[in-house]
Amino acid sequence: MPRRFDLPDRIALFPLPGAVLMPRARLPLHIFEPRYLQMLEDTLKTDHRLIGMIQPEGEGLSSIGCAGRVVAFSETDDGRMMISLGAVSRFRLLEPQEGFAPYLQGRVDWSSFPRDTAGTEQDPNLDRKALFDLLARYMETQELSTDWDAASQAEDELLINSLSMMLPFGPGDKQALLESPTLADRRELLIGLIEFALHGGENEERLQ
C-alpha cells in the first residue's frame, strides 16, 4: 500500500494470541478493552497510525510482528470500536516498553523486511488446482466454508496470506507463517500444515 510517512522506531503493540497480520493484507479487529480503546485514540493522533500486531510467547512476546495502519474505523452504540488494519511491514521487536500509557509500546526495527514495502509478491510455482483440492478436503474435515469464487479470483499473495491468517492453525504455526521469508516459503509451509492436519496431526493434539 502507498506510504506517505516514515516508519517510526516506536509503536503501540497489540498482543493477541492466534492473530497475525500478513504483508499487504487487512485485519479486522473489535476493540473494547479500555486500554486498547486508549491505544486506538492515541494512534489516530499520529501521522503513521500504526499498531503492531504481535503474539504472546511464553512470558513475553514473539520477536517478530507486523504493523498495520488504521485504514477504517467505526464506533458502536455502546462505545466499542470496529477497525481495519492495512499491513505496512513486519518488524523485529527490540524492546517492549511500559510507560505512562496503559498499553504496551515497543522499540522496533524494520530493516529485515524490505520485501514488505516493495511491490506485491508473486508465486510462479503455485499450483492453484492442487491447492484448492487440498483446501476443499481440509475445509470439509474442519466443517468450514469459504467463498470459492472470491478465492479463485484472488491474486497469489492475497490468497496465500489470507489463508495463512484465517485458517485455524495454532499460534506457533501462525507465527511460522508470518516469519516465512518469501511468499513461496509461506505457501509451502501452508500446504504442509494443511496436509499435516489432514493426516490427523491436529486431531491427535486435540485428543491429548
Side-chain angles (χ1 to χ4, degrees):
M1 62 190 311
R3 187 161 52 85
R4 303 182 188 87
F5 53 88
D6 293 327
L7 292 173
D9 58 10
R10 177 186 173 102
I11 58 173
L13 299 177
F14 192 178
L16 196 58
V20 290
L21 176 59
M22 298 291 172
R24 282 173 291 278
R26 288 202 176 190
L27 178 67
L29 289 171
H30 180 200
I31 309 291
F32 56 90
E33 288 188 48
R35 57 179 168 166
Y36 293 126
L37 290 171
Q38 183 64 55
M39 175 189 70
L40 177 60
E41 181 178 340
D42 293 345
T43 298
L44 290 174
K45 294 175 183 176
T46 66
D47 292 334
H48 55 74
R49 301 209 309 264
L50 293 178
I51 292 175
M53 297 302 302
I54 195 164
Q55 292 202 109
E57 187 174 274
E59 297 298 316
L61 298 171
S62 298
S63 60
I64 293 174
C66 185
R69 180 175 170 86
V70 180
V71 294
F73 62 93
S74 61
E75 186 174 6
T76 63
D77 291 340
D78 56 2
R80 294 172 294 161
M81 300 293 291
M82 304 295 293
I83 73 171
S84 179
L85 293 182
V88 171
S89 176
R90 286 171 289 178
F91 60 85
R92 187 174 301 278
L93 179 62
L94 301 178
E95 180 187 17
Q97 297 179 327
E98 296 185 10
F100 294 108
Y103 52 87
L104 275 178
Q105 300 178 66
R107 283 200 312 113
V108 298
D109 177 68
W110 313 91
S111 62
S112 299
F113 307 102
R115 191 184 303 271
D116 292 2
T117 50
T120 302
E121 274 196 84
Q122 305 297 326
D123 185 0
N125 294 322
L126 171 62
D127 184 339
R128 284 184 171 245
K129 184 182 184 305
L131 175 59
F132 284 176
D133 288 347
L134 186 68
L135 186 60
R137 290 166 51 207
Y138 176 80
M139 301 291 262
E140 183 178 1
T141 62
Q142 298 290 318
E143 299 182 348
L144 300 171
S145 61
T146 192
D147 185 340
W148 292 106
D149 288 338
S152 64
Q153 296 174 23
E155 294 184 0
D156 294 352
E157 185 179 61
L158 178 60
L159 175 65
I160 294 166
N161 285 350
S162 296
L163 291 173
S164 298
M165 291 170 61
M166 294 165 52
L167 294 182
F169 301 128
D173 293 334
K174 295 266 190 179
Q175 188 66 29
L177 287 163
L178 175 67
E179 295 183 14
S180 297
T182 69
L183 187 64
D185 292 329
R186 186 170 299 127
R187 182 252 306 159
E188 290 179 359
L189 177 56
L190 176 68
I191 289 173
L193 290 171
I194 294 174
E195 289 176 337
F196 179 74
L198 285 171
H199 284 87
E202 288 192 357
N203 291 333
E204 290 173 5
E205 289 180 1
R206 288 172 183 163
L207 291 173
Q208 290 178 355

